[in-house]
């Protein structure tokens, strides 16, 4: 009691917290902490007078370019040693022990997995979404444009005496010598002549079904029966007669050609597709040419084709001459039909290649050139046309068969001597197999 005040002396401990105990000996670990001991009194701990703290291995000072230097202390070492002390071996010593690694300036860094910033992820997702939307809009725009450009001028409805519907789908693919879109100079360069009207240079039946795709060439010089018809210009009735197959197109266009094919094969033609000279040349040039190999030298003045033996990247003009020439073929029109099948398959394969499909500077000109001179039937939808294209491509990749209609040789009398007569037995069996969708 002193001047009326009482003084209580002693120690106050926090409830539940034991008092700090004096360590039994020096800590041998490598201490990294923000509060190093800067005193000089070693107390009961070993102290050599050269380090700023009571422990054998204090934390290294920060690098001078990371944080400002701490004020010097009496008895302390230089704050920026030239070489930081190496940590001793132990659980926290280095990467082999799973602990922190020494970094620049002697600091230790932990090994952390790489992280991706959330902002970068969001930007990537937005970019991908924008790209997909652009592709979708481009595809939708292309489909709408193709729907508008596609010429569905061939009406197959109302044809008389049509055979019954068979199994599978039958396409009649025609290459005509229509010169629409060709200038006088182009006609001279392509050796197409100046004859009026249109005829067919190639005709193929493409059958798709459960047993794959079969492409059958119908030589234009085939000696067949032309059905009876009424000339729309004169109103005169013409009875059925024998003639070359390509005459049917000259007499009545696509409808008469379809009627003639159906009459002589017994197959119902489900869809019709025809492309002219200009479109053919434009498509070949747009895809960058098509490679074809020939086993001999070809020099045909009539078609203008000149090729050495070997493989060539044919331009549009060369390709047109290749599928038209027949005078250099030992089998005449049959040899030309083989060339046409081989080239159309190669063209379909080239047009479907990623380097063309994914390149808008090739894909759009090729599509535009094809649509400019492509005529199809009124029932042809874009997905049906795509199925036709895929079927032709599958044939080129070995997914189908390519063959000529069986022939027995040239005719024996009159105009038939310059024509090809079908082998009735073999041709009838072939068309029956296609009609019933059986393996050929």
């Amino acid at each position: 009691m002193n001047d009326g005040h009482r003084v209580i002396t002693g120690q106050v401990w926090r409830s539940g917290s034991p008092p700090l105990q004096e360590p039994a000996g020096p800590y041998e670990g490598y201490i990294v902490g923000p509060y190093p001991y800067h005193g000089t009194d070693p107390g009961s701990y070993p102290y050599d007078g050269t380090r700023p703290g009571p422990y054998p291995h204090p934390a290294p000072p920060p690098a001078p370019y990371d944080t400002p230097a701490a004020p010097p202390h009496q008895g302390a070492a230089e704050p920026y040693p030239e070489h930081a002390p190496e940590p001793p071996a132990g659980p926290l010593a280095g990467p082999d022990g799973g602990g922190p690694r020494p970094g620049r300036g002697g600091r230790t860094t932990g090994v952390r997995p790489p992280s991706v910033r959330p902002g970068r992820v969001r930007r990537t997702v937005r970019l991908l979404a924008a790209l997909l939307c652009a592709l979708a809009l481009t595809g939708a725009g292309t489909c709408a444009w193709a729907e508008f450009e596609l010429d569905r001028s061939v009406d197959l409805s109302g044809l008389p005496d049509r055979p019954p519907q068979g199994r599978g789908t039958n396409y009649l693919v025609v290459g005509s010598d229509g010169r629409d879109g060709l200038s006088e100079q182009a006609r001279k360069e392509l050796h197409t002549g100046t004859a009026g009207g249109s005829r067919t240079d190639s005709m193929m039946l493409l059958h798709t079904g459960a047993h794959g795709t079969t492409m059958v060439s119908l030589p234009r010089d085939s000696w067949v029966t032309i059905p009876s018809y009424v000339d729309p210009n004169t109103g005169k009735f013409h009875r059925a007669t024998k003639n070359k197959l390509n005459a049917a197109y000259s007499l009545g266009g696509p409808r008469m050609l379809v009627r003639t094919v159906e009459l002589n094969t017994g197959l119902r033609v489900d869809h019709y597709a025809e492309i002219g000279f200009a479109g053919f040349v434009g498509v070949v040039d747009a895809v960058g040419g098509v490679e074809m190999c020939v086993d001999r030298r070809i020099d045909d003045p009539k078609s203008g084709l000149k090729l050495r033996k070997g493989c060539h990247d044919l331009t549009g003009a060369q390709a047109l001459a290749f599928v038209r020439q027949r005078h250099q073929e030992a089998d005449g029109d049959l040899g030309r039909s083989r060339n046409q099948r081989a080239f159309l398959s190669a063209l379909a394969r080239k047009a479907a290649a990623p380097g063309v499909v994914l390149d808008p500077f090739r894909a759009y000109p090729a599509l535009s050139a094809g649509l400019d001179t492509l005529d199809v039937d009124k029932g042809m939808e874009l997905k049906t046309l795509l199925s036709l294209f895929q079927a032709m491509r599958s044939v080129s990749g070995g997914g189908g068969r390519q063959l000529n209609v069986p022939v027995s040789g040239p005719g024996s009398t009159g105009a038939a001597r310059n024509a090809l007569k079908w082998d009735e037995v073999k041709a009838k069996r072939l068309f029956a197999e296609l009609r019933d969708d059986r393996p050929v």
Side-chain angles (χ1 to χ4, degrees):
M1 175 128 0
N2 184 14
D3 296 334
H5 297 281
R6 290 184 299 176
V7 178
I8 300 176
T9 62
Q11 294 181 342
V12 180
W13 305 99
R14 179 178 297 180
S15 176
S17 300
L20 295 176
Q21 299 295 325
E22 183 179 34
Y27 181 75
E28 299 297 335
Y30 184 61
I31 301 301
V32 179
Y35 307 109
Y37 174 70
H38 296 287
T40 58
D41 182 10
S44 59
Y45 299 94
Y47 184 69
D48 57 6
T50 61
R51 286 192 288 268
Y55 305 122
H57 304 290
Y65 42 79
D66 287 339
T67 57
H73 296 278
Q74 183 180 1
E78 290 295 329
Y80 309 124
E82 182 177 355
H83 298 286
E86 293 294 333
L92 301 178
D96 294 338
R101 300 172 180 265
R104 287 187 303 180
R107 292 173 298 157
T108 57
T109 58
V111 180
R112 290 182 292 182
S115 59
V116 180
R117 296 180 180 179
R120 183 179 300 175
V121 174
R122 286 194 294 270
R123 287 195 299 271
T124 302
V125 172
R126 290 172 182 172
L127 179 61
L128 292 176
L131 180 60
L132 292 176
C133 290
L135 291 175
L137 292 175
T138 301
T142 302
C143 291
W145 169 67
E147 281 280 1
F148 178 78
E149 291 290 328
L150 191 59
D151 186 359
R152 299 182 176 89
S153 58
V154 180
D155 187 6
L156 299 183
S157 63
L159 293 179
D161 305 321
R162 303 198 70 182
Q165 183 70 51
R167 298 179 180 179
T169 304
N170 298 313
Y171 302 87
L172 181 59
V173 183
V174 176
S176 72
D177 64 356
R179 295 161 178 80
D180 294 341
L182 293 177
S183 64
E184 291 296 329
Q185 181 64 26
R187 294 183 183 186
K188 292 180 181 179
E189 294 176 353
L190 298 176
H191 296 265
T192 62
T194 58
S198 295
R199 285 169 293 275
T200 51
D201 262 25
S202 63
M203 288 159 283
M204 300 179 190
L205 270 174
L206 191 71
H207 174 84
T208 62
H211 300 284
T213 302
T214 302
M215 182 185 291
V216 182
S217 293
L218 305 177
R220 73 173 202 169
D221 290 341
S222 299
W223 192 248
V224 295
T225 299
I226 305 295
S228 60
Y229 70 99
V230 175
D231 191 331
N233 297 321
T234 63
K236 184 179 178 180
F237 175 79
H238 295 269
R239 295 180 297 175
T241 185
K242 288 285 187 177
N243 206 332
K244 291 182 179 180
L245 180 58
N246 67 337
Y249 191 94
S250 300
L251 295 174
R255 287 173 58 91
M256 177 59 73
L257 179 60
V258 170
R259 288 186 60 201
T260 302
V261 170
E262 290 185 340
L263 175 64
N264 289 271
T265 65
L267 294 172
R268 188 184 184 97
V269 175
D270 299 296
H271 295 288
Y272 178 90
E274 174 191 334
I275 189 168
F277 280 168
F280 183 84
V281 172
V283 171
V284 175
D285 286 336
V287 300
V290 177
E291 184 181 47
M292 291 299 296
C293 300
V294 294
D295 57 1
R296 68 192 184 284
R297 182 177 178 270
I298 299 177
D299 187 357
D300 183 20
K302 291 192 175 182
S303 66
L305 181 64
K306 294 183 179 181
L307 293 176
R308 296 188 303 272
K309 179 180 178 180
C311 296
H312 308 267
D313 283 326
L314 302 184
T315 64
Q318 290 175 321
L320 180 61
F322 178 76
V323 299
R324 294 183 64 216
Q325 68 89 20
R326 61 172 174 169
H327 299 285
Q328 302 294 314
E329 299 296 327
D331 296 334
D333 203 27
L334 291 177
R336 173 167 59 181
S337 297
R338 284 195 298 268
N339 291 339
Q340 291 171 349
R341 290 196 309 270
F343 185 84
L344 287 180
S345 298
L347 176 60
R349 183 172 62 251
K350 179 66 177 290
V356 175
V357 174
L358 300 180
D359 185 354
F361 296 101
R362 287 188 176 186
Y364 283 97
L367 184 59
S368 178
L371 292 176
D372 282 345
T373 59
L374 181 67
D375 295 331
V376 298
D377 63 275
K378 292 184 179 298
M380 180 81 79
E381 299 179 355
L382 279 180
K383 63 179 182 180
T384 310
L385 187 61
L386 181 60
S387 298
L388 168 61
F389 177 78
Q390 290 175 336
M392 295 180 63
R393 182 190 174 200
S394 70
V395 170
S396 66
R401 297 195 60 186
Q402 304 182 49
L403 62 153
N404 272 319
V405 60
V407 296
S408 58
S412 57
T413 60
R417 291 181 178 180
N418 297 322
L420 292 173
K421 186 177 180 181
W422 292 358
D423 186 311
E424 294 184 3
V425 176
K426 293 181 179 179
K428 185 177 181 181
R429 181 171 66 247
L430 169 64
F431 296 133
E433 291 169 344
L434 295 178
R435 182 176 57 251
D436 298 335
D437 195 24
R438 291 179 288 156
V440 176

